[in-house]
Amino acid sequence: MPTVLKRPAAAAAAGSAAKKHKPAAAKPAAAKPKPAPAKAKNPPKPKRDPLLVSVSAGLALSKELPDTAKSMLGDMLDFALTLYKEDRHQYQQNIVELVESTLGDVEKGLETSLEEAQNGIKQSEDKKESCTSIVQDNEAKLVDQSAVVQKRKHELADAARAFRATRESVNDIKISQDLAEQDLKKAQCDKEKLEAALADYFQPLLAAGASAGDETGQEKVDCLTLILKKFNMDEAMMTAVPMALLKEPGVRGPFDTMVISQLEAEVNNRIVAYDTTLKEAEPAKAERAARLEEASGAFEEAKKAQLACAEAFWEASKGEESRQSSLLEAKQSVSEAGKEARRFQKDAEKAERALSNFRNGPQAAFLQLRDRTAPPPEEPPAEVEAPAQAAAADAEMDAAKAPGGQAGAADEAPIEVSED
């Protein structure tokens, strides 16, 4: 292939362009910081024997030792219980005995808690039984007291009715007496009015009459007429009487005299009737007074009886309320005793589980560590016969079994090996 020659100017331009297009050199990457050397990890702490952990947990249950003593005793377990029984020093044995004593105290404490819970159950059951008996007794007494209350209630109702009846009787007698007294007072008043009318008006007019133009005589006639009209006298007679009385005695005719006589007789009859009524009213008045006194006495007795019945009812009601309160308290005591028994039952179950867990856990672990002894030495293995001896023995046995020993001789013939 022919060589291509370029002009010097073209060569220079080409070189300049090549320099322009030459890629820039990459900057060196920043150096990464070296990681710090990893800290050496502490070697893992060896796990503690689970039996020692269990014994240490049992020591923690002690209530006799302070926390520092329990912690120190727990740390000494590894130096005493990890050794076999026969390998322990006297000081290590003392530690074992101290641990045993402490665990024994813990067991006694758990047993005491269980016993207290069981005693609490028994006492609560006894209390519940006693309170139940009290409830039954109070229920029976409440029934009896309620019957007494009902009886006193009926007695009070009867006494109240008797009280009302006697009060009404007294009131009726008083009303009757008041009416009778009013009638007597009216009769006495009417009698006195008639007597006054006769004395003040009728007799003077009867004796003298009234002269012409005598206003005094006319006033007397008017007053007499007004009074007599209130007593419902005969109207015809009352019409003729004024004219007859106004006449002088000498000029009165037979009719006037008759009318005046009739009026006088009627008024006197009325006065006599009133007087008779007043006289006859005395025994009736005394009888009414006696009846009132008797009724008043019965009323006072009924009042006292009602008060006594009310007091008896009040006392019976208070007794019933007291029985109800006692019954309620007894029922509450039964409920509280039941709750207390259930609480003690839970405490007993909890204490029993704690005691069982302690005996099967820390105490069992301690006993296992305490009584642990070194295992017996291993027996040497039985000697094995040499292979040659075994082979010889086998050969002798085979020779003995073969007839005439030929088989054995044939077996023992040497085997030729070709050198080719």
Side-chain angles (χ1 to χ4, degrees), residues 311-326:
E311 184 68 21
F313 174 74
W314 177 252
E315 292 296 330
S317 298
K318 289 196 298 184
E320 184 180 30
E321 292 178 359
S322 177
R323 294 298 182 191
Q324 290 174 345
S325 178
S326 299

Side-chain angles (χ1 to χ4, degrees), residues 238-260:
M238 292 302 300
T239 303
V241 163
M243 296 300 297
L245 289 176
L246 288 173
K247 293 178 181 181
E248 294 180 359
V251 296
R252 293 174 186 157
F255 178 76
D256 297 328
T257 303
M258 180 190 68
V259 170
I260 292 173

Side-chain angles (χ1 to χ4, degrees), residues 4 11 19 65 88 116 124 137 172 187 192 339-340 354 356 387:
V4 179
K19 288 181 180 179
L65 297 177
R88 294 177 189 140
E116 289 176 353
S124 298
D137 183 58
D172 292 342
E192 292 175 356
K339 292 179 181 178
E340 190 176 40
S356 177

Side-chain angles (χ1 to χ4, degrees), residues 183-212:
D183 291 342
L184 292 177
K185 287 180 179 180
K186 185 176 182 301
Q188 181 67 31
C189 182
D190 290 344
K191 175 187 173 185
E192 292 175 356
K193 286 181 179 180
L194 290 176
E195 289 176 344
L198 288 178
D200 297 337
Y201 306 117
F202 181 77
Q203 292 297 337
L205 291 172
L206 177 64
S211 60

Side-chain angles (χ1 to χ4, degrees), residues 35 77 99 409:
L77 296 177
V99 172

Side-chain angles (χ1 to χ4, degrees), residues 64-125:
E64 304 294 333
L65 297 177
D67 293 339
T68 55
K70 289 189 284 187
S71 177
M72 182 174 63
L73 189 59
D75 294 338
M76 290 189 293
L77 296 177
D78 298 85
F79 303 101
L81 287 178
T82 54
L83 298 176
Y84 295 123
K85 181 178 181 180
E86 61 274 10
D87 295 338
R88 294 177 189 140
H89 188 271
Q90 180 59 40
Y91 295 110
Q92 294 169 328
Q93 183 61 31
N94 292 341
I95 293 173
V96 172
E97 292 175 358
L98 179 59
V99 172
E100 183 177 7
S101 175
T102 303
L103 293 179
D105 292 339
V106 172
E107 183 181 19
K108 288 180 181 178
L110 294 175
E111 289 175 348
T112 301
S113 298
L114 177 59
E115 184 178 355
E116 289 176 353
Q118 291 174 344
N119 291 336
I121 293 174
K122 185 177 183 303
Q123 292 175 359
S124 298
E125 292 295 338

